[in-house]
């Protein structure tokens, strides 16, 4: 719980789920010489909690098109992470060419990506990043390629 008059902030941690084996079943399998190893599953789930409204600046940089591939960086500046989708769009028809769904950037300022242009001319392409509103974001950034 946030205390009164504290600055808005983002807190990140991980929830670890550790799935162990049933001891009785394992002991029975050992007696039958069926089990000779111990199965274990551990999953780490990132947990992000924001207290208050935290602004962030998002954009594209270092855009290069070479041999039908668009290479670029998605950057963020601010005190919160971003979660959303990147899309490469044909501006003639507003048709989605390719996308990267459900990406996240936290703890680092930028991340590099590559997308195929599928033969669409460079001057008819647009990059779009749309933040997922379910995770508290509302940024939509577009950049025409030329």
């Amino acid at each position: 719980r946030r205390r009164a008059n504290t600055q808005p902030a983002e807190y990140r941690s991980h929830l670890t789920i550790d799935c162990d084996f049933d001891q009785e079943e394992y002991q029975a399998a050992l007696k039958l010489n069926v089990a000779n190893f111990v199965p274990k599953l551990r999953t780490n789930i990132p947990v992000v909690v924001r207290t208050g409204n935290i602004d962030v600046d998002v954009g594209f940089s270092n855009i290069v098109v070479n041999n039908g591939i668009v290479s670029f960086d998605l950057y963020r500046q601010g005190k919160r992470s971003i979660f959303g989708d990147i899309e490469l769009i044909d501006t003639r028809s507003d048709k989605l060419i390719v996308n990267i769904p459900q990406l996240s950037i936290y703890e680092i300022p930028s991340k590099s990506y590559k997308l195929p242009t599928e033969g669409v001319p460079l001057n008819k392409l647009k990059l779009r990043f749309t933040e997922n509103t379910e995770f508290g974001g509302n940024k939509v950034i577009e950049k025409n390629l030329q």
Side-chain angles (χ1 to χ4, degrees), residues 57-106:
D57 183 30
V58 182
F60 296 105
S61 62
N62 302 324
I63 300 171
V64 176
V65 179
N66 193 9
N67 293 329
I69 302 290
V70 179
S71 303
F72 59 93
D73 294 339
L74 179 66
Y75 71 84
R76 68 164 188 93
Q77 293 177 325
K79 298 197 182 254
R80 75 166 173 86
S81 51
I82 56 173
F83 302 90
D85 304 330
I86 293 177
E87 301 171 319
L88 185 61
I89 309 238
D90 184 337
T91 58
R92 297 172 294 191
S93 61
D94 210 31
K95 179 183 173 190
L96 175 67
I97 297 170
V98 67
N99 73 327
I100 302 172
Q102 302 177 14
L103 66 88
S104 62
I105 299 179
Y106 54 95

Side-chain angles (χ1 to χ4, degrees), residues 15-126:
L15 173 66
T16 299
I17 299 173
D18 194 355
C19 300
D20 219 342
F21 53 90
D22 181 64
Q23 284 290 337
E24 290 178 14
E25 287 183 22
Y26 181 68
Q27 292 301 326
L30 279 178
K31 288 179 184 175
L32 297 172
N33 289 326
V34 174
N36 58 5
F37 62 91
V38 178
K40 191 164 190 140
L41 174 66
R42 177 175 289 162
T43 302
N44 294 314
I45 301 168
V47 177
V48 177
V49 176
R50 294 186 189 133
T51 61
N53 214 2
I54 306 167
D55 198 25
V56 67
D57 183 30
V58 182
F60 296 105
S61 62
N62 302 324
I63 300 171
V64 176
V65 179
N66 193 9
N67 293 329
I69 302 290
V70 179
S71 303
F72 59 93
D73 294 339
L74 179 66
Y75 71 84
R76 68 164 188 93
Q77 293 177 325
K79 298 197 182 254
R80 75 166 173 86
S81 51
I82 56 173
F83 302 90
D85 304 330
I86 293 177
E87 301 171 319
L88 185 61
I89 309 238
D90 184 337
T91 58
R92 297 172 294 191
S93 61
D94 210 31
K95 179 183 173 190
L96 175 67
I97 297 170
V98 67
N99 73 327
I100 302 172
Q102 302 177 14
L103 66 88
S104 62
I105 299 179
Y106 54 95
E107 298 178 359
I108 57 174
S110 68
K111 196 168 181 182
S112 298
Y113 297 95
K114 293 182 180 183
L115 296 173
T117 63
E118 302 293 337
V120 177
L122 175 63
N123 62 347
K124 303 298 181 192
L125 291 173
K126 172 173 57 176

